[in-house]
Amino acid sequence: MRPLLDEIPNKKITNVVAGAGFGKTTLIAQACMYSKVNTVWYRLDKSDKNFITFLSYLIAGIGKYFPEFGIETHQKIEDS
């Protein structure tokens, strides 16, 4: 398993899929802490059925590391 975790910083996105109780959150939290990569932690809930809500929160999360990210998109969302 360790070689897979070491590859996380080299990937644009990492997706972990497993059943409830298999330790997904713990695994990714530890991997992110170990690799010291910029991380956007986003927990989906019922409000994320609304694409605008989802997109707004995602832009805000990425914007913590890249302040210019999504400014134009966010403005278009607010203007609509």
Side-chain angles (χ1 to χ4, degrees):
M1 176 74 77
R2 185 71 198 181
L4 290 176
L5 294 178
D6 290 339
E7 284 299 311
I8 289 174
N10 302 323
K11 305 296 180 185
K12 291 185 180 191
I13 190 167
T14 299
N15 188 24
V16 177
V17 179
F22 277 82
K24 299 176 295 293
T25 301
T26 301
L27 172 71
I28 293 302
Q30 289 176 350
C32 291
M33 189 170 47
Y34 168 79
S35 65
K36 297 182 174 87
V37 296
N38 293 338
T39 308
V40 175
W41 197 268
Y42 191 91
R43 183 174 181 221
L44 296 172
D45 66 20
K46 291 179 184 179
S47 70
D48 294 308
K49 289 181 181 179
N50 180 319
F51 181 71
I52 299 301
T53 301
F54 168 77
L55 190 59
S56 295
Y57 282 122
L58 188 59
I59 289 170
I62 295 170
K64 289 180 180 180
Y65 300 106
F66 305 98
E68 300 297 314
F69 179 83
I71 290 175
E72 186 177 332
T73 302
H74 188 70
Q75 188 61 49
K76 288 182 180 182
I77 289 171
E78 287 186 359
D79 290 346
S80 60

